[in-house]
């Protein structure tokens, strides 16, 4: 969808990108133990004997974690493998108490699926591309090592150890940093719709391993590098740009790309090779003998499917066709699940009094504008959907004008008062009293004889001037429709 | 297949078992002996045979998503060779 | 009245209920026997107070008129592979020396719940890896048996449940727990002239048992006779949601179901078990066993288990592979011994800790397991072994079309002297030739004493049954036991 190219001395290079996204599964308990998954507790306070790999401890599988991964697979139209199993990935590290990570190499839970991304989510006309997902497998998270609390020791906290992760592995289908960024954003959006991951990249709930290689367009894939644990969309894009450039430079200087694991340094904006361990790639995977094959029945799958919400793409299409929203508005409203939720509560509160279009416009321009200024998320908007609906109903019913509506909204933000109360107490009700308006029109005409003459002489544009003057005289409270009608009559 | 001293050392390092050159040298013929014997398995025609997954046909049970093990930090740390400030302590790891 | 320590589990249970003696008298008797038998080195830790507390609870319940629990008044030995809350659990290794679990294994917990008390933690081959109990960090267990050649060679009690075997044969406990991965209950039982049963894989929970090879490990009882095995197995078995491989089945009443009448049963004799170089005495005992079962009403048929000879090599891939991974957790970080040489980094610490903490046989198996799983070898070794395992299980399934039970010798020889086979690991592995195939197939199998060899050492017969048919196995064992009339016991020299 884009023809992103890196200009080298020997010509243009194409970048090939695959992403492995680790997403922490939303669940109460850990994947194989009954310890809590809550974030930010005292060190080692959420560690079961199983998580600490005490002798003789055995894993038992959490149903909800499997359901979440299956639901995620369904959300990307992936094949769900009714027969899967868990393997051990063996390596030694202090954050890995068992000496192996329970993961799924040979028979993952979820097979191939697709994520459709729009290069620019805000531009409905920007190119669309289907990115293949190779698989989603379920595995354990590791614990955490702290290096800065003691001069000669590292400290181990196992609170995260054993929390369920979904590893979502894309195909090497992306060709630019923008595509990769769009993919991560879309994936995050889907996960949050499904509720299988909170998508909080700052807390590490979602992190990406970025696989990058370069090639001359049309040639075979080159050797790739993998940059681990990149924790923001911006960084994912930066890693690709930097790594692609680096690889081109190496190749053009006659060098070779080594398949290796790299680390991103956000401060320097570059990647560097991790101390290569000679056994890093000999994980001695084999099926975990403590766990039997996982066989899912149709009832379980049906339950998972039934619990899926409407997903962003179908929802966006429905907003356009059923609600008559513009493509842009539909895209904006469905990009984030919180926005959609807010919008749908707003619609419900509005009932038949307000059109979906009016509600959408208000949310996107007025509410978003205000939230932007306040630096707040829609989830903690100072105005509730019910309060918004009341305001919109006052406008739709002609009680206040659009312009007054904006003023009322500002007052709502400041005071937290309801729109009706504000309109009532401040006397902002719009008037359709023809007598009062006619009186003001007469005054305006009397005060501007030359303009009246010009208008009557054919300067139609001056009509707006008279509307403005009349509205001003009415302190903005006149019904604009009535003003128009009476002015036309008076000016002849 | 023959396991030489270098292979023994590589395997020992993978398994995180420190061995001396002498030990590696002594172990090589021992392992060769055992592995040589094991290799007769290659004779068995296993075409179309699935590897064993569950010795008594059985599948995985799923547990409910309930926190059953609340804070038990003291128990978890009780046997630690070195525990400080609620953490397990290890020699400093340089990333 | 016989000495209390000469009583069987059933004898103690019934005598206690009848008021013939108090539970405390029994516990004190066995505590004294344990204390007086240090020469056997059967126990790593003695726990006389545990036994006394259980006995006092049983006596108190009796005095209060409460119904007696199934094992009330019975003190037992606990293989030191079972984690016992508040009592050091080492798997006979240095790396776990001093480890005190804050939890109780499901199986030991069930035994305490049934009223049993613990006399101590029994020695074993380190991490249950061995067939002679010569790999324990805490020294060899010595069999109470001596050859009748007048020599004084210390004999191997078999392994890995060698402490259990030795202690029961020497009347230090009436029964004990064992675990069996490739024969670790049956082979030592045969070596010391007692009974032992490995139930169907999944009958006894593995939760809290230090793992050797997860897909093979099964706990089971060892005792002096078949009835005691049935009583113990009933107390040890049962579904455990904490073990994913535990079978969600009710525990049958095996003791009540005991019957040595084998009418209508067909017993298969697998021809492939007639291995080259089998001692004539073993051959003769096997024939004797066949006659006994025929006498008990069984029909004898010859069956074929064509992949038998591949069982051992398959086992010596699968078990070490699983062990190499299961033992990765012993790294000196969260429990157990830590070795931290001057200037060592984390990975150096691991290597030093594991080098100092594991014995030679454990290291050997970790090395084999690591090798067969390593890059490039996985399919040729591990996958092939698991396929062969499927074929071996299939052989048994096929045999069940022709018979209900199988009869074989338990081991290819009587006990050997300590040190005799240590130099050649492979020769030691071959000891498990008859026990390993049923382990690979997860089948219930038991050893009962059949007689003595020319050297005066016990020989065992093995009965193998269909999955979940522990009853059939116990009944055939009982039929053999009744006819063998095995009463020989080791003269006390310790
Ligand atoms: Mg990765
Ligand atoms: Zn992963």
């Amino acid at each position: 969808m884009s023809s992103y190219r890196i200009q080298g001395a020997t010509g243009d290079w194409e970048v090939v990108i695959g992403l492995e996204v680790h997403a922490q599964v939303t669940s109460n308990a850990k994947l194989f133990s009954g310890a809590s998954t809550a974030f930010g507790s005292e060190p080692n306070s959420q560690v079961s004997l199983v998580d600490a790999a005490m002798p003789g401890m055995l894993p038992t599988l959490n149903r909800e974690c499997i359901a979440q991964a299956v639901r995620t697979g369904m959300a990307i139209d992936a094949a769900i493998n009714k027969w899967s199993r868990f393997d051990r990935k063996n390596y030694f590290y202090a954050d890995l108490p068992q000496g192996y990570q329970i993961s799924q190499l040979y028979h993952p839970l979820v097979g191939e699926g697709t994520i459709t991304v729009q290069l620019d989510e805000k531009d409905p006309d920007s190119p669309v591309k289907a990115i293949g997902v190779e698989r989603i497998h379920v595995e354990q998270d590791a614990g955490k090592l702290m290096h800065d609390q003691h001069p000669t020791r590292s400290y181990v906290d196992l609170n995260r150890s054993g929390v369920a992760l979904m590893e979502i592995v894309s195909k090497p289908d992306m060709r630019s940093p923008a595509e990769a960024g769009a993919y991560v954003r879309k994936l995050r959006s889907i996960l949050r719709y499904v509720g299988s991951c909170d998508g909080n990249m700052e807390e590490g709930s979602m992190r990406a391993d970025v696989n990058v290689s370069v090639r001359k367009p049309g040639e075979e894939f080159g050797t790739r590098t993998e940059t681990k644990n990149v924790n923001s969309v911006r960084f994912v894009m930066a890693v690709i740009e930097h790594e692609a450039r680096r690889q081109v430079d190496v190749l053009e200087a006659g060098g070779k790309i080594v398949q290796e694991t790299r680390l991103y340094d956000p401060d320097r904006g570059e990647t560097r090779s991790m101390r290569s361990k000679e056994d890093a790639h000999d994980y001695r995977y084999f099926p975990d003998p403590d766990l039997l094959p996982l066989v899912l029945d149709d009832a379980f799958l049906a339950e998972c499917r039934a619990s899926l919400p409407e997903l962003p793409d179908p929802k966006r299409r429905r907003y356009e066709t059923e609600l008559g929203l513009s493509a842009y508005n539909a895209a904006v409203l469905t990009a984030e699940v919180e926005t959609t939720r807010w919008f749908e509560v707003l619609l419900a509160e509005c009932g038949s009094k307000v059109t979906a279009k009016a509600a959408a416009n208000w949310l996107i321009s007025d509410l978003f504008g205000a939230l932007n200024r306040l630096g707040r998320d829609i989830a903690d908007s100072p105005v509730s959907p019910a309060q918004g609906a009341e305001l919109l109903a006052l406008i739709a019913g002609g009680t206040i004008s659009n312009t007054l509506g904006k003023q009322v909204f500002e007052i709502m933000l400041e005071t937290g008062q309801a729109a009706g109360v504000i309109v009532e107490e401040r006397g902002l009700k719009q008037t359709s009293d023809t007598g009062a308006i006619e009186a003001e029109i007469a005054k305006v005409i009397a005060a501007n004889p030359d303009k009246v003459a010009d208008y009557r002489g054919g300067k139609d544009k001056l009509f707006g001037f008279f509307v403005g003057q009349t509205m001003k005289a009415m302190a903005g409270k006149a019904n604009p429709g009535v003003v128009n009608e009476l002015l036309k009559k008076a000016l002849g | 297949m023959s396991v030489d001293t270098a292979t023994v050392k590589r395997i020992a390092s993978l398994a995180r078992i420190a061995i001396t050159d002498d030990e590696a040298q002594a172990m090589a013929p021992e392992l060769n002996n055992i592995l040589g014997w094991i290799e007769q398995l290659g004779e068995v025609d296993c075409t179309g045979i699935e590897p064993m997954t569950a010795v008594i046909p059985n599948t995985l049970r799923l547990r409910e998503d309930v926190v059953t093990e609340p804070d038990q930090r003291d128990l978890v740390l009780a046997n630690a060779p070195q525990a400080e400030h609620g953490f397990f302590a290890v020699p400093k790891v340089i990333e | 009245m016989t000495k209390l320590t000469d009583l069987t589990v059933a004898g103690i249970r019934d005598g206690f209920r009848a008021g013939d003696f108090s539970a405390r008298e029994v516990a004190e008797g066995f505590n004294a026997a344990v204390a007086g038998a240090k020469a056997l080195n059967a126990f790593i830790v003695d726990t006389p107070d545990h036994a006394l507390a259980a006995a006092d609870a049983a006596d108190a319940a009796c005095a209060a008129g409460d119904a007696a629990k199934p094992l009330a008044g019975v003190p037992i030995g606990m293989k030191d592979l079972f984690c016992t809350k508040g009592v050091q659990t080492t798997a006979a290794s240095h790396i776990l020396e001093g480890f005190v679990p804050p939890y109780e294994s499901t199986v030991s917990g069930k035994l305490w719940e049934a009223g049993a008390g613990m006399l101590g933690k029994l020695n074993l081959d380190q991490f249950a890896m061995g067939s002679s109990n010569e790999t324990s960090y805490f020294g060899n267990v010595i069999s109470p048996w001596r050859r009748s050649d007048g020599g004084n060679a210390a004999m191997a009690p078999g392994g890995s449940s060698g402490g259990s075997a030795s202690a029961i044969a020497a009347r230090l406990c009436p029964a004990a727990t064992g675990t069996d991965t490739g024969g670790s209950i049956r082979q030592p039982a045969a070596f010391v002239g007692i009974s032992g049963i490995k139930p169907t894989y999944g009958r006894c929970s593995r939760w809290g048992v230090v793992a050797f090879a997860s897909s093979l490990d099964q706990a089971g009882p060892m005792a002096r006779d078949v009835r005691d095995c049935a009583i113990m197995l009933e107390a040890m078995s049962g579904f455990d949601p904490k073990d994913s491989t535990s079978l969600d089945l009710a525990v049958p009443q095996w003791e009540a179901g005991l019957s040595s009448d084998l009418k209508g049963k067909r017993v298969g004799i697998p021809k492939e078990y007639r291995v080259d170089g089998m001692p004539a005495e073993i051959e003769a005992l096997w024939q004797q066993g066949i006659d006994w079962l025929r006498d008990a009403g069984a029909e004898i048929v010859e069956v074929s288990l064509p992949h038998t000879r591949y069982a051992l090599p398959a086992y010596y891939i699968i078990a070490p592979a699983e062990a190499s991974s299961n033992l990765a957790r012993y790294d000196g970080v969260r429990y157990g011994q830590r070795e931290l040489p001057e200037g060592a980094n984390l990975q150096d610490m691991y290597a030093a800790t594991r080098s100092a903490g594991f014995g030679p046989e454990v290291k050997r198996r970790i090395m084999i397991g690591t090798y067969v799983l390593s890059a490039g070898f996985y399919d040729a070794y591990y996958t092939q072994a698991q396929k062969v395992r499927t074929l071996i299980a299939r052989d048994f399934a096929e045999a069940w079309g022709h018979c209900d039970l199988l009869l074989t010798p338990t081991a290819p020889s009587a006990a050997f002297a300590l040190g005799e086979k240590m130099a050649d690991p492979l020769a030691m592995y071959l000891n498990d030739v008859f026990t390993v195939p049923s382990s690979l197939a997860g089948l219930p199998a038991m050893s009962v004493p059949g007689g003595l060899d020319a050297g005066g050492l016990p020989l065992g017969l093995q009965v193998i049954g269909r999955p979940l048919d522990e009853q059939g196995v116990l009944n055939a064992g009982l039929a053999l036991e009744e006819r063998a009339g095995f009463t020989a016991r080791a003269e006390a020299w310790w």
Side-chain angles (χ1 to χ4, degrees):
Chain A
M1 74 192 192
S2 63
S3 45
Y4 178 85
R5 291 285 183 272
I6 293 143
Q7 263 107 54
T10 59
D12 280 1
W13 294 79
E14 182 181 47
V15 57
V16 175
I17 305 149
L19 294 174
E20 294 160 26
V21 173
H22 283 94
Q24 246 164 36
V25 175
T26 303
S27 65
N28 299 317
K30 293 184 179 179
L31 181 56
F32 292 115
S33 85
S36 166
T37 60
F39 184 80
S41 308
E42 286 291 294
N44 291 308
S45 63
Q46 294 179 165
V47 183
S48 78
L49 299 169
V50 175
D51 305 323
M54 291 285 170
M57 293 299 95
L58 297 171
T60 53
L61 185 57
N62 184 334
R63 167 193 293 272
E64 177 65 8
C65 298
I66 297 305
Q68 292 284 38
V70 167
R71 294 168 74 245
T72 304
M74 288 172 166
I76 59 163
D77 286 323
I80 307 299
N81 294 322
K82 290 169 85 170
W83 196 101
S84 66
R85 72 166 307 172
F86 289 92
D87 303 303
R88 292 184 182 177
K89 177 182 185 178
N90 295 283
Y91 64 96
F92 288 88
Y93 204 62
D95 63 7
L96 190 73
Q98 294 164 137
Y100 53 84
Q101 177 196 33
I102 305 179
S103 180
Q104 298 187 300
L105 176 70
Y106 299 109
H107 299 280
L109 181 60
V110 178
E112 292 189 19
T114 311
I115 294 180
T116 306
V117 303
Q118 184 129 40
L119 186 55
D120 180 353
E121 294 97 324
K122 298 285 160 65
D123 176 6
D125 297 324
S126 69
V128 165
K129 183 171 173 179
I131 310 291
V133 168
E134 182 73 44
R135 58 190 281 156
I136 301 178
H137 64 255
V138 177
E139 62 186 24
Q140 302 173 294
D141 204 350
K144 239 175 116 180
L145 274 182
M146 325 272 178
H147 305 298
D148 48 6
Q149 313 209 350
H150 190 282
T152 61
R153 288 172 207 147
S154 291
Y155 284 154
V156 186
D157 174 12
L158 298 179
N159 279 350
R160 305 311 295 161
S161 163
V163 169
L165 297 176
M166 292 179 278
E167 182 171 332
I168 303 150
V169 183
S170 86
K171 296 193 174 181
D173 283 354
M174 287 157 278
R175 295 290 178 271
S176 71
E179 282 182 20
Y183 171 84
V184 175
R185 280 193 299 270
K186 185 62 175 283
L187 174 59
R188 182 171 176 276
S189 164
I190 292 172
L191 294 175
R192 288 157 57 82
Y193 263 80
V194 171
S196 56
C197 170
D198 66 20
N200 191 332
M201 294 188 89
E202 299 83 68
E203 286 180 4
S205 304
M206 233 182 113
R207 53 213 194 233
D209 297 345
V210 184
N211 289 282
V212 174
S213 64
V214 295
R215 63 174 176 186
K216 287 282 174 63
E219 287 183 354
E220 298 280 291
F221 284 154
T223 304
R224 67 190 164 85
T225 62
E226 180 179 14
T227 305
K228 290 265 188 201
N229 283 333
V230 184
N231 64 356
S232 82
V233 174
R234 200 158 54 81
F235 290 166
V236 166
M237 294 168 69
V239 162
I240 296 165
E241 273 175 50
H242 170 271
E243 187 54 21
R245 181 78 248 173
R246 188 190 69 84
Q247 291 186 11
V248 166
D249 291 346
V250 169
L251 291 169
E252 291 196 329
K256 265 192 162 169
I257 301 302
V258 198
Q259 182 164 348
E260 62 177 353
T261 302
R262 299 179 70 85
L263 212 58
Y264 179 61
D265 182 342
D267 299 329
R268 299 171 153 217
E270 58 182 40
T271 67
R272 62 185 152 84
S273 182
M274 283 172 92
R275 268 185 318 135
S276 73
K277 293 170 202 139
E278 95 262 34
D279 58 348
H281 292 290
D282 203 342
Y283 291 125
R284 291 158 286 135
Y285 278 100
F286 76 109
D288 190 328
D290 285 332
L291 294 162
L292 297 158
L294 173 60
V295 181
L296 301 178
D297 59 22
D298 292 331
F300 182 85
L301 297 185
E303 223 176 275
C304 290
R305 196 170 288 287
S307 70
L308 274 187
E310 186 182 26
L311 293 160
D313 287 347
K315 195 184 277 290
R316 182 170 46 77
R317 285 192 289 274
R318 184 171 64 80
Y319 281 7
E320 289 182 44
T321 54
E322 265 180 36
L323 303 184
L325 303 191
S326 70
Y328 173 80
N329 279 5
V332 171
L333 290 174
T334 54
E336 290 291 339
V337 69
E338 274 79 16
T339 311
T340 310
R341 270 192 211 130
W342 212 99
F343 176 62
E344 292 188 352
V345 177
L346 177 69
L347 278 188
E349 294 283 347
C350 286
S352 58
K353 285 181 254 166
V354 181
T355 65
K357 245 181 175 157
N361 282 332
W362 174 79
L363 192 157
I364 290 169
S365 57
D366 295 18
L367 180 65
F368 272 4
L371 292 174
N372 248 336
R373 262 185 340 222
L374 299 169
R376 287 215 197 180
D377 284 340
I378 195 160
D380 60 356
S381 159
V383 167
S384 73
Q387 288 172 317
E390 186 190 348
L391 172 65
L392 286 168
L394 288 174
I395 297 170
T399 310
I400 53 173
S401 67
N402 257 321
T403 320
L404 260 182
K406 287 186 197 301
Q407 278 180 42
V408 172
F409 181 52
E410 289 306 321
I411 300 169
M412 287 168 69
L413 288 170
E414 264 166 46
T415 65
Q417 281 181 306
V421 173
I422 294 169
V423 168
E424 202 59 55
E425 281 184 359
R426 311 201 177 199
L428 296 177
K429 234 178 202 161
Q430 143 179 295
T431 178
S432 304
D433 175 347
T434 47
I437 297 172
E438 274 169 343
E440 291 305 330
I441 287 175
K443 283 187 209 158
V444 171
I445 288 176
N448 298 287
D450 44 342
K451 292 230 165 74
V452 172
D454 287 354
Y455 176 78
R456 288 187 175 144
K459 266 198 156 178
D460 288 355
K461 276 187 194 156
L462 279 169
F463 189 71
F465 165 78
F466 293 109
V467 172
Q469 290 298 306
T470 310
M471 289 302 273
K472 198 172 156 194
M474 292 293 294
K477 286 181 283 182
N479 182 323
V482 176
V483 171
N484 277 357
E485 204 181 302
L486 295 177
L487 259 176
K488 269 188 188 139
K489 236 192 254 169
L491 289 169
Chain B
M1 161 109 24
S2 184
V3 176
D4 55 15
T5 318
T7 309
V8 170
K9 286 170 122 174
R10 184 176 62 80
I11 297 299
S13 137
L14 256 182
R16 296 297 185 275
I17 293 174
I19 55 169
T20 62
D21 290 355
D22 286 352
E23 285 169 329
Q25 227 152 51
M27 208 176 245
E30 225 172 66
L31 290 188
N32 269 322
N33 196 20
I34 296 166
L35 291 168
W37 167 72
I38 283 170
E39 257 156 38
Q40 60 179 296
L41 271 193
E43 299 165 8
V44 185
D45 179 7
C46 289
T47 326
I49 303 297
E50 286 297 318
M52 171 81 75
T53 52
V55 62
I56 302 298
N58 199 1
T59 58
L60 210 45
R61 280 182 300 275
L62 294 167
R63 157 189 125 245
E64 291 312 310
D65 182 28
V66 178
V67 176
T68 51
E69 289 175 87
D71 187 356
Q72 47 188 341
R73 175 155 85 171
D74 295 345
L75 291 187
V76 166
L77 294 173
N79 280 285
Q82 192 171 41
E84 291 169 5
H85 315 300
F87 295 96
F88 297 100
V90 296
K92 192 151 198 118
V93 178
I94 296 127
E95 295 269 325
Chain C
M1 195 176 91
T2 40
K3 261 172 80 179
L4 290 178
T5 51
D6 283 344
L7 292 173
T8 60
V9 169
I12 296 169
R13 175 192 65 185
D14 298 343
F16 166 70
R17 289 182 187 198
D20 297 346
F21 41 77
S22 69
R24 192 170 180 94
E25 286 174 80
V26 177
E28 280 172 347
F30 280 108
N31 279 342
V34 169
K38 293 290 166 202
L40 299 177
N41 199 29
F43 288 87
I44 295 174
V45 173
D46 300 348
T47 55
D49 293 343
H50 192 292
L52 289 175
D56 290 347
D59 286 333
C62 177
D66 296 345
K69 293 178 175 177
L71 289 173
V74 182
I76 59 159
M78 185 61 60
K79 187 176 182 179
D80 198 25
L81 204 61
F82 293 82
C83 290
T84 41
K85 190 171 182 169
V87 178
Q88 175 186 262
T89 300
T90 65
S93 70
H94 177 48
I95 208 160
L96 274 178
E97 197 174 3
F99 172 64
V100 179
Y103 50 94
E104 187 77 48
S105 81
T106 298
V107 164
S108 56
K110 278 177 177 288
L111 286 165
W112 312 150
E113 235 168 77
M118 176 166 66
L119 293 160
K121 300 296 293 284
L122 291 157
N123 205 344
L124 65 150
D125 274 304
Q126 193 169 140
F127 284 103
M129 297 174 187
S131 303
S132 64
N133 222 122
E134 289 168 283
T135 69
S136 168
Y137 175 74
F138 301 96
N140 300 340
V141 174
I142 297 167
S143 170
W145 291 85
R146 292 267 154 107
R147 279 186 183 126
S148 58
D149 58 6
N152 253 346
M155 305 302 294
S160 65
S161 310
S164 309
S166 188
I168 294 164
R171 308 292 196 266
L172 313 184
C173 54
T177 56
T179 61
D180 191 312
T181 303
S184 281
I185 287 175
R186 293 160 284 163
Q187 183 255 20
F191 274 21
V192 302
I194 63 167
S195 298
I197 181 167
K198 175 194 94 72
T200 309
Y201 181 81
R203 275 281 194 207
C204 287
S205 169
R206 295 184 296 112
W207 194 89
V209 185
V210 174
F212 164 13
S214 310
S215 75
L216 295 153
D217 295 346
Q218 257 304 288
M222 299 167 77
R224 297 229 309 279
D225 65 21
V226 173
R227 174 170 303 271
D228 284 3
C229 284
I231 295 168
M232 285 285 288
L233 187 59
E234 272 185 54
M236 294 166 67
S237 300
F239 173 58
D240 182 3
K242 293 191 284 189
D243 173 0
S244 293
T245 60
S246 171
L247 296 171
D248 190 359
L249 295 170
V251 180
Q253 294 186 303
W254 287 305
E255 187 194 7
L258 284 176
S259 159
S260 56
D261 180 357
L262 301 187
K263 263 190 227 77
K265 293 284 179 194
R266 276 189 295 186
V267 174
I269 308 302
K271 61 179 186 202
E272 289 80 6
Y273 280 53
R274 286 182 202 285
V275 294
D276 289 345
M278 181 164 23
E281 286 168 307
I282 302 276
E283 184 90 53
L285 176 73
W286 194 5
Q287 186 54 50
Q288 178 70 76
I290 291 169
D291 295 342
W292 284 333
L293 291 184
R294 191 179 284 126
D295 179 60
E299 183 193 337
I300 305 296
V301 294
E302 181 169 277
V303 296
S304 173
L305 301 169
H307 295 91
T308 298
R309 58 178 294 222
Y310 298 107
L312 264 186
Y315 174 85
Y316 275 95
I317 290 172
I318 294 164
E322 292 182 10
S324 71
S325 177
N326 280 337
L327 271 61
R329 65 188 57 201
Y330 305 105
D331 58 10
V333 175
R334 297 163 315 285
Y335 46 78
Q337 297 295 310
R338 167 184 290 192
E339 205 65 38
L340 187 58
E342 190 64 34
N345 66 23
L346 177 71
Q347 301 295 341
D348 299 337
M349 180 188 93
Y350 289 155
T353 296
R354 292 163 60 79
S355 185
F358 293 139
E361 182 60 23
V362 174
K363 287 184 199 172
R364 190 177 293 129
R365 297 206 194 185
I366 291 175
M367 294 284 287
I368 294 169
T370 304
Y371 182 79
V372 298
L373 290 176
S374 67
F377 299 121
Y378 173 75
D379 277 326
Y381 286 113
Y382 188 80
T383 309
Q384 177 75 0
Q386 288 290 26
K387 286 178 179 172
V388 170
R389 191 173 178 186
T390 299
L391 289 171
I392 286 163
R394 201 180 274 185
D395 284 355
F396 280 107
E398 168 71 18
W400 302 135
H402 307 283
C403 62
D404 305 295
L405 297 158
L406 295 164
L407 178 73
T408 79
T410 306
S413 74
F416 41 85
L418 290 168
E420 236 168 50
K421 292 200 177 183
M422 268 316 262
D424 183 357
L426 200 49
M428 187 73 89
Y429 296 172
L430 295 174
N431 236 280
D432 299 331
V433 62
F434 298 141
T435 48
V436 153
S438 43
S439 290
L440 287 173
L443 302 171
M446 119 171 268
S447 178
V448 293
L452 299 176
D453 75 349
L457 294 175
L459 297 172
L461 284 166
Q462 175 179 232
V463 180
I464 302 168
R466 287 194 176 93
L468 307 178
D469 188 23
E470 285 81 3
Q471 191 72 65
V473 170
L474 289 162
N475 287 352
L478 186 63
L480 292 170
E481 179 181 280
E482 285 173 357
R483 285 160 184 80
F486 186 87
T487 53
R489 59 184 283 188
E491 286 307 324
W493 52 262
W494 53 90

